[in-house]
Amino acid sequence: MHLILRRATSLVKWKDQSLEYSQQGAKSTSREFSPDEPRGLVVVVHDTSGSMLPVAMESEHHLEEMVGALKVSKSVARRFDLEIVTAGGVPRRVLPFTSVLDAAIPNMVVGGGTPLCEATLDALASIESRIEHIRSRECVVSTAILVVISDGGYTDTGYASEAKKALREAAENVVIIPFLTAGGDESQLSELCGCNVLDPNSTDIPALFQRLTSVIRVVSQTSPSQVTVSGVRALLFDDRNE
């Protein structure tokens, strides 16, 4: 199966937006870039509004398991960077882009409204910036994956149109995976992200991160020229919607 990312000079364009950092002075960290090792990006945007405490705790646990499993192979872990953005009260980049080899999963702060549109916009802007940074080192980006975990609701409706437009523009280059939590509004999350969603009836949180772990391993062993957005998406959806 052909797997990954058709390249473009720019993913999306919009005004810069600032994030509140949960850790003072948090900075992106990465291993030294090598032209011989393509770099993949994974960003998790997680709804951490007041009702999401059990899901956030479960996600933290399985993110830790994913990172631990990937660190078993240093050649795989150093080829992927991970970032986590939460949407609870205000958007927070709780883990700036960090090599999986060095990543430690932080606690997610839960509470407040759901600025999911702002958080998603910031995540896309961060992906674009990271891609430009990697390419400036004459390195290749193998894939960029954006996972949005939410019940579909959001309180920042003023950013909804901008977020919908940006997500649709980015979909040519970024693998967008919306994951709907139990009892959520599938139509609302699908409308925001512009694509089908994974839902609890077919996939749970553990299975989501198990699939993500498997996909990262496959991509790290595949030539970037053979990786496509549709191929990675099909693997993450387990061919359910493709």
Side-chain angles (χ1 to χ4, degrees):
M1 175 181 289
H2 288 288
L3 292 176
I4 295 177
L5 187 69
R6 289 175 291 171
R7 285 152 190 78
T9 56
S10 178
L11 294 178
V12 283
K13 295 293 184 184
W14 53 71
K15 64 183 180 183
D16 291 335
Q17 299 185 41
S18 61
L19 279 176
E20 176 179 311
Y21 285 77
S22 64
Q23 299 173 358
Q24 186 174 3
K27 295 181 179 179
S28 173
T29 62
S30 64
R31 293 274 164 168
E32 183 177 343
F33 293 106
S34 169
D36 298 327
E37 290 190 343
R39 205 59 165 258
L41 306 177
V42 175
V43 180
V44 176
V45 173
H46 205 299
D47 177 352
T48 54
S49 56
S51 62
M52 293 290 287
L53 178 59
V55 179
M57 292 178 65
E58 185 178 19
S59 293
E60 283 178 18
H61 172 71
H62 290 289
L63 275 164
E64 288 173 352
E65 284 194 338
M66 181 185 80
V67 167
L70 292 172
K71 285 182 178 180
V72 171
S73 173
K74 291 184 178 180
S75 64
V76 172
R78 69 174 177 242
R79 293 187 181 203
F80 268 82
D81 293 342
L82 174 65
E83 177 168 288
I84 301 173
V85 179
T86 60
V90 296
R92 294 182 176 91
R93 188 176 291 126
V94 295
L95 180 69
F97 270 124
T98 303
S99 168
V100 169
L101 197 58
D102 301 318
I105 304 303
N107 294 327
M108 298 187 196
V109 178
V110 177
T114 314
L116 188 65
C117 299
E118 288 184 85
T120 304
L121 282 167
D122 283 318
L124 288 173
S126 184
I127 289 172
E128 181 175 22
S129 176
R130 191 65 168 176
I131 288 174
E132 291 175 353
H133 176 71
I134 292 170
R135 289 177 178 168
S136 73
R137 268 68 177 172
E138 299 184 350
C139 297
V140 175
V141 178
S142 58
T143 190
I145 300 171
L146 173 63
V147 180
V148 181
I149 300 175
S150 172
D151 63 6
Y154 48 85
T155 54
D156 55 343
T157 55
Y159 288 94
S161 295
E162 186 179 4
K164 291 174 183 178
K165 182 174 183 291
L167 283 160
R168 284 155 179 77
E169 290 177 352
E172 182 177 354
N173 299 284
V174 178
V175 182
I176 300 171
I177 305 295
F179 179 87
L180 186 72
T181 59
D185 186 334
E186 180 174 356
S187 62
Q188 193 166 7
L189 185 59
S190 177
E191 182 184 359
L192 174 63
C193 294
C195 56
N196 292 334
V197 306
L198 285 170
D199 62 71
N201 294 323
S202 61
T203 307
D204 55 14
I205 290 286
L208 170 66
F209 287 111
Q210 287 169 5
R211 288 185 193 178
L212 189 55
T213 302
S214 297
V215 167
I216 288 173
R217 286 172 173 156
V218 170
V219 169
S220 69
Q221 299 169 9
T222 304
S223 168
S225 64
Q226 298 299 304
V227 183
T228 65
V229 168
S230 61
V232 174
R233 182 175 166 82
L235 288 177
L236 283 164
F237 270 72
D238 199 23
D239 297 315
R240 187 174 70 92
N241 293 315
E242 302 297 326

